[in-house]
Protein backbone atom coordinates (compact mmCIF):
# COMPACT_ATOMS: atom_id res chain seq x y z
CA UNK A 1 0.00 0.00 0.00
CA UNK A 2 1.42 3.38 -1.01
CA UNK A 3 1.43 6.20 1.52
CA UNK A 4 0.71 9.69 0.21
CA UNK A 5 1.15 13.10 1.80
CA UNK A 6 -1.48 15.55 0.51
CA UNK A 7 -0.66 19.21 1.14
CA UNK A 8 -3.71 21.45 1.14
CA UNK A 9 -5.76 18.30 1.60
CA UNK A 10 -8.72 19.98 3.32
CA UNK A 11 -9.17 22.36 0.38
CA UNK A 12 -11.58 21.93 -2.52
CA UNK A 13 -9.54 19.79 -4.91
CA UNK A 14 -7.30 18.31 -2.22
CA UNK A 15 -10.22 16.89 -0.23
CA UNK A 16 -11.76 15.23 -3.29
CA UNK A 17 -8.38 13.75 -4.18
CA UNK A 18 -7.93 12.44 -0.63
CA UNK A 19 -11.31 10.69 -0.97
CA UNK A 20 -10.28 9.01 -4.23
CA UNK A 21 -6.96 7.91 -2.74
CA UNK A 22 -8.56 6.41 0.36
CA UNK A 23 -11.23 4.65 -1.68
CA UNK A 24 -8.53 3.08 -3.83
CA UNK A 25 -6.44 1.64 -1.01
CA UNK A 26 -3.88 4.39 -0.46
CA UNK A 27 -2.87 5.54 3.01
CA UNK A 28 -3.26 9.32 3.32
CA UNK A 29 -1.92 12.04 5.58
CA UNK A 30 -2.94 15.68 5.14
CA UNK A 31 -0.98 18.85 5.84
CA UNK A 32 -2.99 22.08 5.80
CA UNK A 33 -2.77 25.41 7.64
CA UNK A 34 -6.59 25.85 7.37
CA UNK A 35 -6.14 29.35 5.95
CA UNK A 36 -8.79 28.72 3.29
CA UNK A 37 -10.46 25.51 4.50
CA UNK A 38 -12.11 23.97 7.55
CA UNK A 39 -11.02 21.16 9.88
CA UNK A 40 -14.53 19.65 9.60
CA UNK A 41 -13.58 18.52 6.09
CA UNK A 42 -11.54 15.72 7.72
CA UNK A 43 -14.75 14.46 9.33
CA UNK A 44 -16.53 14.58 5.98
CA UNK A 45 -13.74 12.63 4.28
CA UNK A 46 -14.11 9.98 6.97
CA UNK A 47 -17.89 9.84 6.49
CA UNK A 48 -17.48 9.28 2.75
CA UNK A 49 -14.67 6.73 2.87
CA UNK A 50 -14.96 5.10 6.29
CA UNK A 51 -11.29 5.97 6.83
CA UNK A 52 -9.88 8.97 8.66
CA UNK A 53 -6.74 10.53 7.20
CA UNK A 54 -4.07 11.65 9.64
CA UNK A 55 -4.23 15.45 9.79
CA UNK A 56 -1.45 17.95 10.58
CA UNK A 57 -2.25 21.64 10.95
CA UNK A 58 1.08 22.96 9.71
CA UNK A 59 2.09 25.75 7.35
CA UNK A 60 4.62 24.82 4.65
CA UNK A 61 6.58 27.95 5.57
CA UNK A 62 7.38 26.22 8.88
CA UNK A 63 10.22 24.10 7.55
CA UNK A 64 11.03 22.52 10.94
CA UNK A 65 7.54 21.13 11.54
CA UNK A 66 7.24 20.09 7.92
CA UNK A 67 10.52 18.15 8.18
CA UNK A 68 9.23 16.28 11.21
CA UNK A 69 6.07 15.22 9.39
CA UNK A 70 7.91 14.04 6.28
CA UNK A 71 10.63 12.30 8.32
CA UNK A 72 8.11 10.43 10.46
CA UNK A 73 5.63 9.67 7.68
CA UNK A 74 7.75 7.38 5.48
CA UNK A 75 5.78 8.59 2.44
CA UNK A 76 6.04 7.15 -1.04
CA UNK A 77 4.53 10.19 -2.77
CA UNK A 78 3.48 13.80 -2.25
CA UNK A 79 0.58 15.55 -3.97
CA UNK A 80 1.00 19.30 -3.57
CA UNK A 81 -2.14 21.48 -3.54
CA UNK A 82 -1.27 23.94 -0.76
CA UNK A 83 -1.04 27.56 -1.84
CA UNK A 84 -2.77 30.91 -2.01
CA UNK A 85 -5.03 31.01 -5.08
CA UNK A 86 -7.13 34.19 -5.33
CA UNK A 87 -6.17 35.89 -8.60
CA UNK A 88 -7.36 39.38 -7.62
CA UNK A 89 -5.75 39.23 -4.20
CA UNK A 90 -2.44 38.19 -5.77
CA UNK A 91 -2.38 41.46 -7.73
CA UNK A 92 -2.86 43.41 -4.48
CA UNK A 93 -0.46 41.29 -2.39
CA UNK A 94 2.17 39.85 -4.74
CA UNK A 95 4.84 39.36 -2.08
CA UNK A 96 2.48 37.25 0.03
CA UNK A 97 1.89 34.99 -2.99
CA UNK A 98 5.55 34.67 -3.95
CA UNK A 99 6.60 33.98 -0.36
CA UNK A 100 3.84 31.51 0.41
CA UNK A 101 3.58 29.57 -2.84
CA UNK A 102 7.20 29.45 -3.92
CA UNK A 103 8.97 29.25 -0.55
CA UNK A 104 6.44 26.70 0.68
CA UNK A 105 7.11 24.50 -2.35
CA UNK A 106 10.89 24.79 -2.00
CA UNK A 107 10.60 23.82 1.69
CA UNK A 108 8.52 20.81 0.68
CA UNK A 109 10.97 19.67 -2.00
CA UNK A 110 13.93 20.11 0.37
CA UNK A 111 12.17 18.02 3.00
CA UNK A 112 11.38 15.34 0.43
CA UNK A 113 15.03 15.30 -0.63
CA UNK A 114 16.27 14.90 2.96
CA UNK A 115 13.90 12.00 3.52
CA UNK A 116 14.21 10.15 0.22
CA UNK A 117 10.71 10.85 -1.13
CA UNK A 118 10.92 10.91 -4.92
CA UNK A 119 7.35 11.02 -6.28
CA UNK A 120 5.75 14.46 -6.62
CA UNK A 121 2.53 15.68 -8.23
CA UNK A 122 1.99 19.42 -8.49
CA UNK A 123 -1.36 21.17 -8.73
CA UNK A 124 -0.62 23.60 -11.54
CA UNK A 125 -2.95 25.65 -13.73
CA UNK A 126 -3.85 26.58 -17.28
CA UNK A 127 -2.83 30.12 -16.29
CA UNK A 128 0.78 29.15 -17.07
CA UNK A 129 -0.08 29.29 -20.79
CA UNK A 130 -0.81 33.03 -20.66
CA UNK A 131 -2.22 34.35 -23.95
CA UNK A 132 -1.79 31.99 -26.90
CA UNK A 133 -2.52 32.31 -30.63
CA UNK A 134 -4.84 29.29 -30.47
CA UNK A 135 -7.72 28.89 -27.96
CA UNK A 136 -6.98 25.15 -27.72
CA UNK A 137 -4.14 24.77 -25.24
CA UNK A 138 -1.73 21.86 -25.62
CA UNK A 139 1.19 20.90 -23.37
CA UNK A 140 3.85 21.66 -26.01
CA UNK A 141 2.96 25.38 -26.05
CA UNK A 142 5.42 27.87 -24.59
CA UNK A 143 4.51 28.98 -21.08
CA UNK A 144 5.26 32.07 -19.01
CA UNK A 145 4.41 34.89 -21.44
CA UNK A 146 1.57 37.35 -20.80
CA UNK A 147 0.47 35.72 -17.53
CA UNK A 148 -2.11 38.06 -16.03
CA UNK A 149 -1.45 37.72 -12.28
CA UNK A 150 1.23 37.00 -9.67
CA UNK A 151 -0.81 33.89 -8.76
CA UNK A 152 -0.34 32.55 -12.30
CA UNK A 153 3.34 33.41 -12.26
CA UNK A 154 3.86 31.46 -9.04
CA UNK A 155 2.44 28.39 -10.81
CA UNK A 156 4.80 28.94 -13.73
CA UNK A 157 7.85 29.53 -11.53
CA UNK A 158 7.12 26.41 -9.47
CA UNK A 159 6.86 24.34 -12.65
CA UNK A 160 10.36 25.53 -13.62
CA UNK A 161 11.71 24.76 -10.13
CA UNK A 162 10.30 21.22 -10.32
CA UNK A 163 11.77 20.68 -13.79
CA UNK A 164 15.22 21.88 -12.66
CA UNK A 165 15.08 19.71 -9.54
CA UNK A 166 14.15 16.60 -11.54
CA UNK A 167 17.12 17.20 -13.88
CA UNK A 168 19.46 17.39 -10.88
CA UNK A 169 17.96 14.26 -9.27
CA UNK A 170 17.61 11.36 -11.74
CA UNK A 171 15.51 9.31 -9.28
CA UNK A 172 12.93 12.07 -8.92
CA UNK A 173 9.54 11.56 -10.62
CA UNK A 174 7.33 14.61 -11.08
CA UNK A 175 3.96 15.26 -12.74
CA UNK A 176 2.69 18.77 -13.41
CA UNK A 177 -1.08 18.79 -13.80
CA UNK A 178 -2.47 21.88 -15.51
CA UNK A 179 -6.10 22.36 -14.50
CA UNK A 180 -8.69 24.30 -16.38
CA UNK A 181 -11.89 25.18 -14.43
CA UNK A 182 -12.86 22.75 -11.64
CA UNK A 183 -16.54 22.77 -10.69
CA UNK A 184 -19.07 20.53 -8.91
CA UNK A 185 -18.93 18.68 -5.62
CA UNK A 186 -18.78 15.13 -4.29
CA UNK A 187 -22.07 13.32 -5.08
CA UNK A 188 -22.55 12.67 -1.36
CA UNK A 189 -22.96 16.41 -0.85
CA UNK A 190 -20.50 16.25 2.05
CA UNK A 191 -17.61 18.17 0.45
CA UNK A 192 -17.58 20.90 -2.15
CA UNK A 193 -16.25 24.36 -2.93
CA UNK A 194 -16.52 26.96 -0.16
CA UNK A 195 -13.82 29.62 -0.60
CA UNK A 196 -13.18 32.37 1.91
CA UNK A 197 -13.32 35.97 0.72
CA UNK A 198 -14.78 37.22 -2.56
CA UNK A 199 -14.64 34.52 -5.26
CA UNK A 200 -13.19 35.27 -8.69
CA UNK A 201 -14.49 32.24 -10.60
CA UNK A 202 -17.93 31.73 -12.10
CA UNK A 203 -19.24 28.73 -10.13
CA UNK A 204 -18.53 30.06 -6.61
CA UNK A 205 -20.28 33.28 -7.60
CA UNK A 206 -23.31 31.35 -8.91
CA UNK A 207 -23.35 29.44 -5.61
CA UNK A 208 -23.34 32.67 -3.61
CA UNK A 209 -26.18 34.08 -5.69
CA UNK A 210 -28.16 30.91 -5.00
CA UNK A 211 -27.62 31.09 -1.25
CA UNK A 212 -28.32 34.82 -1.12
CA UNK A 213 -24.86 36.11 -0.24
CA UNK A 214 -24.62 37.92 -3.62
CA UNK A 215 -27.70 39.63 -5.07
CA UNK A 216 -27.10 38.84 -8.73
CA UNK A 217 -24.54 37.37 -11.10
CA UNK A 218 -22.55 39.94 -13.04
CA UNK A 219 -21.88 38.82 -16.63
CA UNK A 220 -18.72 40.57 -17.74
CA UNK A 221 -19.57 41.38 -21.33
CA UNK A 222 -21.86 39.71 -23.86
CA UNK A 223 -20.20 41.08 -27.00
CA UNK A 224 -17.33 38.61 -27.37
CA UNK A 225 -16.76 36.83 -30.71
CA UNK A 226 -18.46 33.64 -29.46
CA UNK A 227 -21.80 32.10 -30.38
CA UNK A 228 -23.76 33.78 -27.59
CA UNK A 229 -21.36 36.67 -26.94
CA UNK A 230 -20.10 35.44 -23.54
CA UNK A 231 -16.72 33.95 -22.66
CA UNK A 232 -16.21 30.21 -23.09
CA UNK A 233 -14.14 28.09 -20.71
CA UNK A 234 -13.30 24.43 -20.17
CA UNK A 235 -15.10 23.23 -17.03
CA UNK A 236 -14.16 19.93 -15.37
CA UNK A 237 -16.02 18.11 -12.59
CA UNK A 238 -13.86 18.01 -9.47
CA UNK A 239 -14.36 14.23 -9.12
CA UNK A 240 -12.96 13.71 -12.63
CA UNK A 241 -10.09 16.00 -11.67
CA UNK A 242 -9.37 14.01 -8.51
CA UNK A 243 -9.31 10.81 -10.56
CA UNK A 244 -6.76 12.47 -12.82
CA UNK A 245 -4.39 12.64 -9.85
CA UNK A 246 -4.93 8.94 -9.24
CA UNK A 247 -4.06 8.20 -12.86
CA UNK A 248 -0.93 10.36 -12.64
CA UNK A 249 0.18 8.62 -9.45
CA UNK A 250 -0.13 5.24 -11.15
CA UNK A 251 1.87 6.24 -14.25
CA UNK A 252 4.83 8.12 -12.81
CA UNK A 253 8.17 8.05 -14.62
CA UNK A 254 11.61 9.51 -13.93
CA UNK A 255 11.84 13.14 -14.93
CA UNK A 256 8.94 15.58 -15.33
CA UNK A 257 5.68 14.78 -17.11
CA UNK A 258 3.12 17.47 -17.95
CA UNK A 259 -0.60 16.93 -18.57
CA UNK A 260 -3.64 19.08 -19.17
CA UNK A 261 -6.66 18.03 -17.13
CA UNK A 262 -9.75 19.37 -18.85
CA UNK A 263 -12.75 18.20 -20.85
CA UNK A 264 -11.75 19.69 -24.19
CA UNK A 265 -15.32 21.00 -24.51
CA UNK A 266 -15.77 24.69 -23.64
CA UNK A 267 -19.02 26.10 -22.27
CA UNK A 268 -20.08 29.75 -22.27
CA UNK A 269 -21.20 31.80 -19.27
CA UNK A 270 -24.78 31.76 -20.57
CA UNK A 271 -24.64 27.98 -21.07
CA UNK A 272 -23.46 27.55 -17.48
CA UNK A 273 -26.28 29.74 -16.21
CA UNK A 274 -28.82 27.75 -18.24
CA UNK A 275 -27.45 24.44 -16.88
CA UNK A 276 -27.69 25.73 -13.31
CA UNK A 277 -31.26 26.94 -13.83
CA UNK A 278 -32.22 23.59 -15.34
CA UNK A 279 -30.76 21.68 -12.38
CA UNK A 280 -32.19 23.99 -9.69
CA UNK A 281 -35.53 24.78 -11.31
CA UNK A 282 -34.98 28.41 -10.35
CA UNK A 283 -34.10 31.53 -12.32
CA UNK A 284 -30.67 32.96 -11.51
CA UNK A 285 -30.66 36.78 -11.14
CA UNK A 286 -28.15 38.17 -13.65
CA UNK A 287 -27.12 41.43 -15.25
CA UNK A 288 -24.74 42.17 -18.08
CA UNK A 289 -21.94 44.60 -17.36
CA UNK A 290 -18.80 45.75 -19.13
CA UNK A 291 -16.00 43.39 -20.03
CA UNK A 292 -13.48 42.54 -17.31
CA UNK A 293 -9.84 43.41 -18.00
CA UNK A 294 -7.75 40.41 -18.95
CA UNK A 295 -10.59 38.03 -19.90
CA UNK A 296 -10.00 36.07 -23.09
CA UNK A 297 -12.98 35.26 -25.34
CA UNK A 298 -12.35 31.52 -25.07
CA UNK A 299 -9.82 28.81 -24.33
CA UNK A 300 -9.95 25.13 -23.56
CA UNK A 301 -7.77 22.09 -22.98
CA UNK A 302 -6.52 19.62 -25.49
CA UNK A 303 -6.64 16.63 -23.09
CA UNK A 304 -5.55 13.97 -25.59
CA UNK A 305 -2.13 13.41 -23.98
CA UNK A 306 -3.71 12.50 -20.62
CA UNK A 307 -6.08 10.08 -22.34
CA UNK A 308 -3.28 8.52 -24.37
CA UNK A 309 -0.64 8.20 -21.64
CA UNK A 310 -2.66 8.05 -18.41
CA UNK A 311 -5.80 6.38 -19.68
CA UNK A 312 -7.77 9.27 -18.19
CA UNK A 313 -10.57 11.39 -19.58
CA UNK A 314 -13.56 13.23 -18.17
CA UNK A 315 -16.79 11.25 -17.84
CA UNK A 316 -18.95 13.68 -15.84
CA UNK A 317 -20.83 16.55 -17.50
CA UNK A 318 -21.76 20.13 -16.74
CA UNK A 319 -25.22 18.86 -15.77
CA UNK A 320 -23.65 16.40 -13.31
CA UNK A 321 -21.62 19.24 -11.80
CA UNK A 322 -24.68 21.45 -11.38
CA UNK A 323 -26.68 18.64 -9.76
CA UNK A 324 -23.85 17.88 -7.33
CA UNK A 325 -23.27 21.56 -6.53
CA UNK A 326 -26.94 22.07 -5.66
CA UNK A 327 -26.92 18.90 -3.55
CA UNK A 328 -23.87 20.22 -1.68
CA UNK A 329 -25.47 23.63 -1.10
CA UNK A 330 -28.64 21.99 0.21
CA UNK A 331 -26.61 19.83 2.62
CA UNK A 332 -24.80 22.93 3.88
CA UNK A 333 -28.15 24.64 4.53
CA UNK A 334 -29.39 21.61 6.47
CA UNK A 335 -26.38 21.80 8.76
Amino acid sequence: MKKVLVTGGTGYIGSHTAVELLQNGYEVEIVDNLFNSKITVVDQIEKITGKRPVFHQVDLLDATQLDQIVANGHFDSVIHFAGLKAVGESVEKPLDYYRNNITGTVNLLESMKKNGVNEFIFSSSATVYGVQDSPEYIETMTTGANISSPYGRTKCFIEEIVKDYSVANPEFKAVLLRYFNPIGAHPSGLIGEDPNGIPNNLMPIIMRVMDGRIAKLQIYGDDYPTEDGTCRRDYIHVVDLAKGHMAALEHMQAGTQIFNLGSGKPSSVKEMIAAFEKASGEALPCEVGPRRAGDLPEFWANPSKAERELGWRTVLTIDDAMRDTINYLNKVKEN
Side-chain angles (χ1 to χ4, degrees):
M1 179 193 296
K2 272 193 172 183
K3 190 173 184 183
V4 183
L5 178 65
V6 180
T7 74
T10 53
Y12 177 43
I13 304 168
S15 61
H16 285 82
T17 301
V19 165
E20 291 298 321
L21 291 168
L22 289 165
Q23 288 180 330
N24 284 274
Y26 288 87
E27 192 175 344
V28 174
E29 293 193 19
I30 290 171
V31 167
D32 203 303
N33 64 4
L34 300 179
F35 177 78
N36 196 30
S37 61
K38 299 176 176 67
I39 186 63
T40 52
V41 170
V42 179
D43 299 328
Q44 305 296 61
I45 292 171
E46 184 178 18
K47 285 180 186 175
I48 295 168
T49 65
K51 302 171 187 175
R52 189 173 185 85
V54 175
F55 175 77
H56 309 272
Q57 186 175 348
V58 169
D59 195 303
L60 297 190
L61 295 181
D62 188 336
T64 301
Q65 283 200 63
L66 180 61
D67 275 346
Q68 290 175 353
I69 292 165
V70 177
N72 294 332
H74 305 291
F75 299 104
D76 299 290
S77 315
V78 173
I79 304 181
H80 180 35
F81 296 99
L84 299 175
K85 63 174 188 175
V87 172
E89 183 184 63
S90 77
V91 175
E92 298 168 4
K93 302 176 179 179
L95 296 183
D96 289 355
Y97 275 67
Y98 290 126
R99 181 189 309 109
N100 186 87
N101 293 4
I102 295 174
T103 304
T105 302
V106 171
N107 286 348
L108 180 60
L109 290 170
E110 286 179 334
S111 189
M112 291 173 65
K113 183 180 180 182
K114 288 179 195 173
N115 294 285
V117 184
N118 287 310
E119 293 186 358
F120 183 74
I121 295 176
F122 175 56
S123 166
S124 192
S125 166
T127 58
V128 302
Y129 290 111
V131 179
Q132 299 285 345
D133 292 333
S134 167
E136 183 179 53
Y137 290 1
I138 192 164
E139 293 89 346
T140 52
M141 286 177 166
T142 301
T143 58
N146 302 311
I147 295 176
S148 61
S149 70
Y151 159 76
R153 280 187 280 278
T154 66
K155 292 293 189 182
C156 192
F157 295 157
I158 290 169
E159 283 198 2
E160 296 306 311
I161 290 167
V162 172
K163 289 177 195 174
D164 288 342
Y165 180 60
S166 67
V167 169
N169 295 271
E171 294 181 1
F172 191 66
K173 302 174 182 179
V175 180
L176 310 177
L177 297 177
R178 294 173 180 166
Y179 309 161
F180 281 68
N181 293 268
I183 60 172
H186 194 270
S188 67
L190 293 173
I191 53 174
E193 188 168 18
D194 186 21
N196 294 332
I198 299 171
N200 187 68
N201 297 330
L202 178 61
M203 270 309 297
I205 296 172
I206 289 176
M207 292 165 68
R208 291 194 176 190
V209 174
M210 183 183 175
D211 68 16
R213 284 187 282 173
I214 296 176
K216 60 181 66 175
L217 173 68
Q218 183 85 1
I219 299 173
Y220 295 108
D222 64 352
D223 58 349
Y224 284 94
T226 59
E227 190 169 320
D228 63 20
T230 61
C231 293
R232 300 168 77 218
R233 297 290 183 264
D234 188 333
Y235 296 96
I236 174 176
H237 197 298
V238 67
V239 172
D240 276 337
L241 183 58
K243 289 179 178 177
H245 293 75
M246 286 279 307
L249 199 57
E250 291 165 1
H251 292 82
M252 300 197 80
Q253 300 173 9
T256 301
Q257 298 171 280
I258 301 171
F259 298 99
N260 286 338
L261 294 184
S263 69
K265 300 170 185 175
S267 300
S268 72
V269 173
K270 287 184 178 178
E271 287 171 336
M272 293 290 286
I273 293 168
F276 186 86
E277 291 179 335
K278 177 185 172 185
S280 67
E282 299 177 16
L284 194 73
C286 302
E287 67 178 7
V288 177
R291 291 186 181 189
R292 184 170 56 180
D295 277 346
L296 299 176
E298 57 185 358
F299 62 85
W300 60 88
N302 180 324
S304 58
K305 183 181 179 186
E307 183 169 4
R308 184 174 64 250
E309 298 186 20
L310 302 181
W312 173 92
R313 63 182 177 84
T314 59
V315 296
L316 298 168
T317 65
I318 298 297
D319 289 338
D320 293 324
M322 295 303 176
R323 177 203 64 217
D324 293 336
T325 296
I326 291 164
N327 183 37
Y328 170 68
L329 287 172
N330 289 335
K331 292 271 189 183
V332 170
K333 284 181 187 176
E334 289 171 9
N335 297 323

